[in-house]
Amino acid sequence: MTTPLSEFDTALTLTPVDSTSARSGGGPAFTAQLSDRWAIGGAVNGGLLLALLGKAASRAGEHSASGSVHPDPLAISAHYLSASVGGPARIETEIVRSGRTTSVVSVHLEQKQDDKPTGRVRALVTTGDLDALDGPEFITPPCPELPPPDQCYATTDTPQGFKSPGPFTERLDVRLTPGSVAWALGDFSAPGTFNAWIRFPDGREPDPISLLQIVDALPPVTYTWGHFGWAPTVELTAYVRARPAPGWLSMQISTSTYARGFLEEDVQVWDSTGELVAQARQLASAPRFTQKT
Amino acid sequence: MTTPLSEFDTALTLTPVDSTSARSGGGPAFTAQLSDRWAIGGAVNGGLLLALLGKAASRAGEHSASGSVHPDPLAISAHYLSASVGGPARIETEIVRSGRTTSVVSVHLEQKQDDKPTGRVRALVTTGDLDALDGPEFITPPCPELPPPDQCYATTDTPQGFKSPGPFTERLDVRLTPGSVAWALGDFSAPGTFNAWIRFPDGREPDPISLLQIVDALPPVTYTWGHFGWAPTVELTAYVRARPAPGWLSMQISTSTYARGFLEEDVQVWDSTGELVAQARQLASAPRFTQKT
């Protein structure tokens, strides 16, 4: 019996395009099918796109004569160009560097809009081999002690008076700690931080690629000020620091600087053994409208 | 009387190359002259390269029919490909998106090595207009209170037994607080953070482009563990959050995760009015050798 593909892996299906790019250093191109099931606020979630680009980068060596590529994303930086929508997408890769221990791949995702190819996301990815990493732990951030998931609040439990922002909220099982949902009760006195448990609801275990989805899966931390609505990502960089163990992941999101129409969001993700497995930071535009409860 | 060009602006001189790239979306190309005066550990400092790429991105619209580009780097993500050396360099730009309030430019710096064009740094830059940013300050990190610069330690005052890592240390006036140089006295008991004042020694005032230099100008924070030597940058992302006021900048560098052969460095830069003007994070390889005092 073969295990059916998880919902997440289905969304990450890449189909190689026959003719590889003629550009110098060009890597293979892929097509993908973006699904509205991953849409939030009318656009496909940026974390799903990040995972898709990370996967395309790690596969860029397979269909290319221009160099081999290491298997795991170590660092990925994505600049978001326009909102992605459900429908076909094309992903072009370029192998920028093919080295001994790391490779660098440029990845571009575009969709047809009014029949014109329109860039959605451009990313640079440094790939390496997480299993080959070596060296002691001199400092790592302690995993915050969170109340167990069943004492936390699922993001699908939309508070009264809130409209669900989109089907994406059902793609992940997110449990915000009681302290992280004070805003839903009109308490905006200690803003700036979310703590949560997170996993795929169908049991799909975490791996390096899925961490790229995880780092952009929570509501904007501006909710803690009572500033609701979409906070469009300008740039997002994620570092995968270790291969995650199976089970729940826990994460913390915070901002230090929410000013002049932009905020940065800092993300830390720990696996079920308490190991720091991913760090991410994004620059986002402040939400365009404010809805107070 | 014209003011002579500052040392930093001289290093950032870009000469447009006549023939613009034929690629679709291609922007102009420039040549630059990298100087060994900015070398540290045998390679040109990564902050100088970041500033050079940021400047090239902001000028990419000037010589291009493919779109206009906004003047200030808001977010720049650079992946470092190989060590840059003193000598000529070529910078190619590609306008990835030309929007109403922001633009995205891809920038590639290469040098001839054994007569072959060799990539040094590839970056993505989202540019915008800092003067057009608007919105209240909901949260910003307080500027740490540091002892005055004359009670701090210049990085040019190499501790006894240390070899100067290169002429780059003289390009900036860096003053580490007494607490940040405990390692020089063999005290490794509270590692992980540097606090410093920083400015150009010739009086060149800070601006958005120079902040890109500033965020990668201090020794690796691994020094605080007694781990000396070069910590090669894998990826560096900087956000410019506001136009800096004239005068000293102050900065804090810390790491939360130094493990398995890599560390991230988190940088915050405040201007002389105490405003947070830049944030940056880099993923670096742990130093390859350790020299204890």
Side-chain angles (χ1 to χ4, degrees), chain B residues 239 241 287:
Chain B
Y239 300 153
R241 302 298 300 266

Side-chain angles (χ1 to χ4, degrees), chain A residues 23 74-82 94 96-97 102 104 106 108 122-126 133-141 191-192 225 227 234-237 239 241-242 255-264 266-268 275-276 279-283, chain B residues 23 74-82 94 96-97 102 104 106 108 122-126 133-141 191-192 225 227 234-237 239 241-242 255-264 266-268 275-276 279-283:
Chain A
R23 280 174 300 146
L74 299 184
I76 176 167
S77 328
H79 291 241
Y80 289 78
L81 311 170
S82 61
E94 175 194 351
V96 179
R97 175 180 185 264
T102 59
V104 177
S106 171
H108 186 83
R122 172 73 68 96
L124 289 169
V125 193
T126 293
L133 300 193
D134 196 23
E137 292 194 0
F138 293 107
I139 195 171
T140 60
W225 275 272
H227 302 170
V234 174
E235 193 274 349
L236 193 163
T237 294
Y239 300 153
R241 302 298 300 267
T255 183
S256 76
T257 311
Y258 175 18
R260 287 174 291 280
F262 288 93
L263 73 153
E264 109 284 2
D266 290 299
V267 181
Q268 293 179 299
E275 197 78 34
L276 190 285
Q279 301 174 291
R281 175 179 282 175
Q282 68 170 270
L283 184 71
Chain B
R23 278 175 302 145
L74 299 183
I76 178 167
S77 328
H79 289 241
Y80 290 78
L81 311 170
S82 61
E94 175 193 350
V96 179
R97 174 179 184 265
T102 59
V104 177
S106 171
H108 186 83
R122 171 74 68 98
L124 289 168
V125 194
T126 293
L133 300 193
D134 196 22
E137 292 194 359
F138 293 107
I139 195 171
T140 60
W225 274 272
H227 303 170
V234 174
E235 193 274 349
L236 194 163
T237 293
Y239 300 153
R241 302 298 300 266
T255 183
S256 76
T257 311
Y258 175 18
R260 286 175 290 279
F262 287 93
L263 73 152
E264 110 284 3
D266 290 299
V267 181
Q268 292 178 299
E275 196 78 34
L276 188 285
Q279 301 174 291
R281 175 179 283 175
Q282 68 170 270
L283 184 71

Side-chain angles (χ1 to χ4, degrees), chain A residues 10-285:
Chain A
T10 304
L12 293 190
T13 304
L14 291 172
T15 307
V17 173
D18 253 358
S19 60
T20 59
S21 166
R23 280 174 300 146
S24 137
F30 303 94
T31 54
Q33 195 64 32
L34 304 185
S35 162
D36 279 327
R37 290 169 63 80
W38 300 78
I40 184 140
V44 175
N45 169 262
L48 182 78
L49 301 172
L50 198 70
L52 203 52
L53 295 184
K55 185 180 170 187
S58 74
R59 289 191 52 192
E62 287 173 28
H63 308 273
S64 170
S66 60
S68 65
V69 167
H70 295 79
D72 301 311
L74 299 184
I76 176 167
S77 328
H79 291 241
Y80 289 78
L81 311 170
S82 61
S84 299
V85 294
R90 184 184 167 93
I91 299 171
E92 304 240 1
T93 68
E94 175 194 351
I95 298 174
V96 179
R97 175 180 185 264
S98 176
R100 195 174 52 83
T101 59
T102 59
S103 310
V104 177
V105 183
S106 171
V107 194
H108 186 83
L109 185 145
E110 65 185 25
Q111 293 188 296
K112 284 247 169 92
Q113 184 174 311
D114 304 329
D115 257 353
K116 251 180 54 187
T118 304
R120 300 302 195 202
V121 200
R122 172 73 68 96
L124 289 169
V125 193
T126 293
T127 66
D129 183 352
L130 284 169
D131 297 326
L133 300 193
D134 196 23
E137 292 194 0
F138 293 107
I139 195 171
T140 60
C143 179
E145 292 213 13
L146 308 185
D150 61 7
Q151 288 169 33
C152 294
Y153 294 84
T155 46
T156 44
D157 297 341
T158 307
Q160 208 170 2
F162 281 75
K163 225 182 93 204
S164 165
F168 173 72
T169 54
E170 290 162 37
R171 300 285 82 73
L172 283 154
D173 186 354
V174 176
R175 310 288 179 93
L176 288 160
T177 62
S180 305
V181 294
W183 53 270
L185 306 170
D187 177 358
F188 308 113
S189 60
T193 305
F194 279 148
N195 283 288
W197 298 98
I198 190 164
R199 67 177 178 186
F200 290 107
D202 62 5
R204 201 274 195 193
E205 294 293 357
D207 67 359
I209 294 290
S210 76
L211 293 175
L212 306 183
Q213 164 65 83
I214 298 298
V215 298
D216 191 28
L218 261 56
V221 77
T222 55
Y223 275 39
T224 61
W225 275 272
H227 302 170
F228 305 118
W230 188 35
T233 304
V234 174
E235 193 274 349
L236 193 163
T237 294
Y239 300 153
V240 178
R241 302 298 300 267
R243 190 175 299 283
W248 281 102
L249 299 166
S250 63
M251 62 194 292
Q252 184 170 77
I253 303 195
S254 62
T255 183
S256 76
T257 311
Y258 175 18
R260 287 174 291 280
F262 288 93
L263 73 153
E264 109 284 2
E265 286 195 339
D266 290 299
V267 181
Q268 293 179 299
V269 184
W270 293 266
D271 71 8
S272 59
T273 72
E275 197 78 34
L276 190 285
V277 291
Q279 301 174 291
R281 175 179 282 175
Q282 68 170 270
L283 184 71
S285 295

